[in-house]
């Protein structure tokens, strides 16, 4: 009886957690819908409406794609077979378990390791993690090229939707900037008392305030992710240096500025601004700087960009209010 109550309570808590996880998304949607109503129906700035709607469509489109594009998980070949899983589970000697994983990893394109040099293994998903893959405790799955879990889209940002997330940030910045600049002249009229409508005064004041507030926070976040893209890093890799079979390497995936951008947006520049999947590869393996140098010796003499901050080998439980991630 007690066990049944515990299971019911656990199920209820999970249900509440799933419902509450949509609250940040609902807040953003309500703010955006209000801004649309205030700008289009209350202020009715006709000469600005065409460009406003173009920006709004791309903003809404990229936000939708960020929310509803499912995180991509490792394919079946990275999962332990039933036989291997049982062998691993029943083996009590850690050194033997470690060697078993090493033998299994030889058949897979994995080149990153844990801080102590062991094969990266997820004991919850029972799989050998591909390079740049991490386990998200919020989504309860391993996510390919995981960047972070974002509560504002209620989704894990990784290989399948990182491009859409970047575009969402870019169009959000543009949306806020456009509203702030076009409403500013009406704010001056409000300040001088030249706006006759009390309701218009309210919308002008809060449109400018909300647009400026979101613009400042978004431009900082967008700038940070642009820096990450320029170095071909994820948020997790910026906090914790990736460890390869040859040892830790901050710039292990850095291929050069242009190639780093192409790793997210693809080779075809026509698709860079459109929220359509164009990232190269399948998310299970990625070109590395060491391989690039062997093909192009000139890169070996290139000075790597150094980070000033110390980077721990253990992944943090939480990254920020905008990036929540827990990893095995």
């Amino acid at each position: 009886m007690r066990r049944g109550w515990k299971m019911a309570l656990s199920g209820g808590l999970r249900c509440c957690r799933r419902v509450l996880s949509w609250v940040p998304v609902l807040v953003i949607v309500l703010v955006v819908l209000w801004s649309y109503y205030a700008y289009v129906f209350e202020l009715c700035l006709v000469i600005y409406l065409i460009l406003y709607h173009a920006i709004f469509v791309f903003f809404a489109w990229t936000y939708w794609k960020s929310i509803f594009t499912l995180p991509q998980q490792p394919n079946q070949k990275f999962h332990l077979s039933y036989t291997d899983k049982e062998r691993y589970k029943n083996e009590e000697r850690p050194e033997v378990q470690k060697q078993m994983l090493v033998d299994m990893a030889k058949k897979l394109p994995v080149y990153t390791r844990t801080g102590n040099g062991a094969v990266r293994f997820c004991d919850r998903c029972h799989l050998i993690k591909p390079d740049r893959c991490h386990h998200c405790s919020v989504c309860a799955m391993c996510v390919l090229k995981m960047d972070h879990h974002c509560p504002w889209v209620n989704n894990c940002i990784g290989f399948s939707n990182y491009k859409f997330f970047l575009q969402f940030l870019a169009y959000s910045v543009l949306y806020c900037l456009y509203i702030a600049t076009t409403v500013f002249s009406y704010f001056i009229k409000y300040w001088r008392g030249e706006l006759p409508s009390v309701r218009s005064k309210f919308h002008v004041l809060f449109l400018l305030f909300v647009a400026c507030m979101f613009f400042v926070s978004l431009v900082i976040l967008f700038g940070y992710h642009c820096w990450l893209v320029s170095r071909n890093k994820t948020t997790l890799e910026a906090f914790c240096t990736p460890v390869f079979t040859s040892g830790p390497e901050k710039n292990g995936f850095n291929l050069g500025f242009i190639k780093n951008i192409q790793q997210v947006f693809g080779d075809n520049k026509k698709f860079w601004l459109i929220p359509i999947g164009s990232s190269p590869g399948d998310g299970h393996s990625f070109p590395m700087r060491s391989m690039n140098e062997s093909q192009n010796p000139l890169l070996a003499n290139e000075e790597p960009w150094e980070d000033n901050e110390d980077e721990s080998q253990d992944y943090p439980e939480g990254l920020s209010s905008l990036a929540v991630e827990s990893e095995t």
Side-chain angles (χ1 to χ4, degrees):
M1 187 72 171
R2 186 180 298 176
R3 185 179 178 183
W5 277 105
K6 286 183 178 179
M7 291 179 64
L9 181 61
S10 176
L13 289 174
R14 282 198 301 270
C15 183
C16 290
R17 183 179 177 181
R18 282 197 296 268
V19 172
L20 290 175
S21 66
W22 285 100
V23 171
V25 176
L26 181 62
V27 170
I28 297 295
V29 169
L30 290 176
V31 170
V32 171
L33 290 177
W34 166 76
S35 69
Y36 183 88
Y37 166 78
Y39 195 93
V40 175
F41 295 101
E42 288 297 331
L43 300 183
C44 197
L45 309 176
V46 179
I47 58 174
Y48 302 129
L49 287 183
I50 296 177
L51 185 54
Y52 170 84
H53 278 97
I55 297 172
F56 181 83
V57 166
F58 277 93
F59 163 74
W61 188 5
T62 54
Y63 191 44
W64 175 276
K65 295 283 283 186
S66 299
I67 295 173
F68 294 108
T69 301
L70 296 176
Q72 193 170 338
Q73 301 178 63
N75 62 32
Q76 199 59 38
K77 71 177 183 179
F78 287 88
H79 288 73
L80 267 62
S81 66
Y82 177 80
T83 305
D84 289 336
K85 193 188 303 182
E86 289 300 311
R87 283 177 53 218
Y88 182 84
K89 191 185 299 183
N90 295 329
E91 179 57 60
E92 297 179 355
R93 293 166 295 178
E95 65 277 5
V96 177
Q97 286 183 323
K98 185 176 179 180
Q99 187 57 46
M100 288 170 62
L101 293 178
V102 169
D103 294 338
M104 296 174 197
K106 289 177 181 177
K107 307 170 187 176
L108 301 170
V110 289
Y111 302 97
T112 53
R113 297 290 186 262
T114 62
N116 60 8
V119 172
R120 299 170 64 244
F121 176 73
C122 180
D123 55 5
R124 282 175 278 188
C125 299
H126 302 291
L127 58 81
I128 294 175
K129 296 178 186 176
D131 294 342
R132 315 184 85 173
C133 173
H134 301 281
H135 185 91
C136 176
S137 62
V138 181
C139 296
M141 66 173 73
C142 282
V143 178
L144 294 179
K145 196 187 177 183
M146 180 174 176
D147 188 87
H148 68 283
H149 184 93
C150 180
W152 300 105
V153 299
N154 191 29
N155 200 3
C156 219
I157 306 302
F159 176 78
S160 61
N161 60 357
Y162 186 57
K163 175 189 173 182
F164 307 144
F165 178 74
L166 280 175
Q167 291 172 327
F168 162 63
L169 292 180
Y171 288 118
S172 298
V173 169
L174 187 58
Y175 182 73
C176 292
L177 181 63
Y178 188 78
I179 288 178
T181 52
T182 54
V183 168
F184 186 74
S185 60
Y186 287 82
F187 175 75
I188 298 298
K189 290 181 180 179
Y190 161 78
W191 191 262
R192 293 174 178 172
E194 298 175 5
L195 283 180
S197 171
V198 176
R199 197 164 65 174
S200 294
K201 290 179 180 179
F202 167 81
H203 288 298
V204 165
L205 179 63
F206 278 90
L207 264 177
L208 185 63
F209 172 75
V210 172
C212 290
M213 179 182 69
F214 276 95
F215 174 78
V216 172
S217 58
L218 285 167
V219 79
I220 293 171
L221 183 61
F222 179 59
Y224 174 68
H225 278 279
C226 286
W227 174 80
L228 290 177
V229 171
S230 71
R231 298 190 175 193
N232 199 4
K233 289 185 177 183
T234 64
T235 301
L236 289 173
E237 290 165 356
F239 277 79
C240 309
T241 303
V243 179
F244 295 83
T245 50
S246 57
E249 176 54 60
K250 293 180 181 179
N251 299 294
F253 296 105
N254 190 348
L255 308 175
F257 183 74
I258 298 299
K259 287 186 178 180
N260 289 344
I261 294 176
Q262 291 173 341
Q263 282 295 297
V264 176
F265 294 95
D267 299 328
N268 195 335
K269 295 181 181 179
K270 292 187 294 185
F271 298 127
W272 283 16
L273 301 179
I274 304 173
I276 296 174
S278 59
S279 301
D282 60 2
H284 291 83
S285 60
F286 301 89
M288 294 180 292
R289 184 182 180 88
S290 57
M291 291 184 177
N292 231 36
E293 286 174 352
S294 64
Q295 294 173 7
N296 185 358
L298 292 176
L299 285 177
N301 300 321
E302 190 180 281
E303 283 293 324
W305 292 345
E306 293 295 333
D307 292 331
N308 294 325
E309 69 274 9
D310 293 331
E311 295 180 317
S312 154
Q313 291 301 314
D314 295 322
Y315 289 116
E317 286 295 322
L319 296 178
S320 68
S321 60
L322 292 175
V324 183
E325 127 71 23
S326 299
E327 194 260 326
T328 311

